[in-house]
Amino acid sequence: MRWLTYISSLFILIYIFGCETEFDPISPADTIPVVFCLLDNSDTAHWVKLSRTFLLDEALKPDNLPFDSLGFPEARVFLEKWNGDYLYARAELNPDEIPRDPGIFPKTPNPQYYLKKEESTLIFFSDPNPQDLVKLIIDIPDMPVVYSEAVPLASINVRIPRKDGDNPYLYGEKPYEITWSAAGYYHELFLEFCYEDHYDDSVAYRSVTWKEFHSIPGYDNLPYTEPVLGQHLMIRIAANIKPDKQVRYRTFDRIKIHFYATDKYLYTHKLTEQIKSIDQTGIQFNNIVNGLGLFGARSKAERWFVLGFVELDSLTKGQFTKDLGFVD
């Protein structure tokens, strides 16, 4: 049996030293379209961002990026609106360039496609009927059709405040409650406190924002309520604004209310984006056929209210905010 061991060892040595091809850690792969689009009927246009994957055999630096391979110049992008099996609207999106913020990738090219909200395209921005869905279709020469679909969200219905500029009383026995209803899988509400810093020679408009509410995923169309209590609000303001000796005084402007609703696709994408695997690649959610990325839906709304005499007095002289320098 010993001679069999010698022969086996000989074949192994011949195989190891006879291979001329070195190990290549970068495995060749075809380019893949990368697509991001969030349908938002409250916006002035629907936008689709289209880019592509690429391989690098050197460090990721701006000078090493293939600037001419970040998009598909001959691509055509379409949106179709269906009700069940019936197609009743189709539109081709217009190509555009939106410069990126400074970073590793160049400011341009940054190809995006848009469908502007106007009389001829209003059907793509209207609240959906039952069984409505929107299909995204991207036609790229010599590549499989890129496809996805999503259900647009109806507009957020804000019940309280009924109008912009409400002046609620926040210290009453019955709490002031922001009330709204919205379709979607997940909802959030933010408060933005807007004010002005007055210096010796200038005035600066500033704001701070915090999350005041988020829903349990999966519940939709329910009347949501979020109480706004005077003392709780002052604690929030004190936690987000710091005293500044350079400021002579501060004046209050308004409190904006931001409502957001998302579908399950966007919620899942944001959730998995926070999960990191051992190799730091993350767990990427994808619902694009023949591509990578996200096609989902969201909705948003905004209202604002002001503080009354009692609330302003608490802001300027109360125990939580008296050191911030606000005046009536």
Side-chain angles (χ1 to χ4, degrees), residues 177-180 213 223-227:
E177 292 185 334
I178 301 171
T179 308
W180 75 101
F213 168 89
Y224 291 103
T225 60
E226 180 62 21

Side-chain angles (χ1 to χ4, degrees), residues 109-261:
N110 185 28
Q112 302 196 34
Y113 298 78
Y114 71 94
L115 182 67
K116 188 177 179 181
K117 185 177 184 179
E118 50 192 10
E119 187 175 354
S120 60
T121 61
L122 282 180
I123 194 170
F124 287 97
F125 295 86
S126 59
D127 285 347
N129 296 314
Q131 297 186 329
D132 266 6
L133 62 85
V134 174
K135 297 182 180 182
L136 171 66
I137 301 170
I138 302 177
D139 186 8
I140 303 173
D142 303 322
M143 295 189 71
V145 173
V146 179
Y147 166 85
S148 189
E149 62 182 41
V151 178
L153 298 184
S155 303
I156 296 175
N157 178 24
V158 181
R159 303 181 184 181
I160 300 176
R162 292 186 176 87
K163 62 177 182 178
D164 284 334
D166 259 5
N167 184 5
Y169 181 51
L170 305 182
Y171 286 95
E173 293 183 2
K174 184 178 179 181
Y176 175 73
E177 292 185 334
I178 301 171
T179 308
W180 75 101
S181 60
Y185 186 76
Y186 177 71
H187 309 90
E188 290 181 342
L189 180 146
F190 288 79
L191 294 184
E192 181 184 3
F193 183 85
C194 305
Y195 65 100
E196 291 181 337
D197 280 345
H198 296 256
Y199 298 90
D200 290 332
D201 56 354
S202 62
V203 177
Y205 188 85
R206 306 193 187 282
S207 70
V208 291
T209 304
W210 62 87
K211 185 195 294 184
E212 195 68 29
F213 168 89
H214 68 269
S215 70
I216 299 174
Y219 290 88
D220 62 349
N221 283 322
L222 299 175
Y224 291 103
T225 60
E226 180 62 21
V228 181
L229 305 175
Q231 180 172 307
H232 174 76
L233 179 62
M234 297 304 155
I235 293 174
R236 289 286 204 180
I237 294 170
N240 286 276
I241 302 177
K242 302 302 179 184
D244 188 346
K245 295 182 179 179
Q246 302 298 320
V247 178
R248 291 181 56 215
Y249 61 92
R250 287 167 164 154
T251 54
F252 166 76
D253 178 53
R254 67 187 64 189
I255 297 178
K256 296 180 181 179
I257 311 170
H258 301 279
F259 304 85
Y260 297 100

Side-chain angles (χ1 to χ4, degrees), residues 4 13 25 51 58 71 75 80 84 86 120 122 128 171 178 190-191 224-225 227 248 250 283 289-291 308 317 326:
L4 289 175
L13 290 174
S51 57
E58 47 191 341
E80 295 181 348
Y86 175 68
S120 60
L122 282 180
Y171 286 95
I178 301 171
F190 288 79
L191 294 184
Y224 291 103
T225 60
R248 291 181 56 215
R250 287 167 164 154
I283 303 174
V289 178
N290 294 322
K317 303 173 186 176
F326 281 96

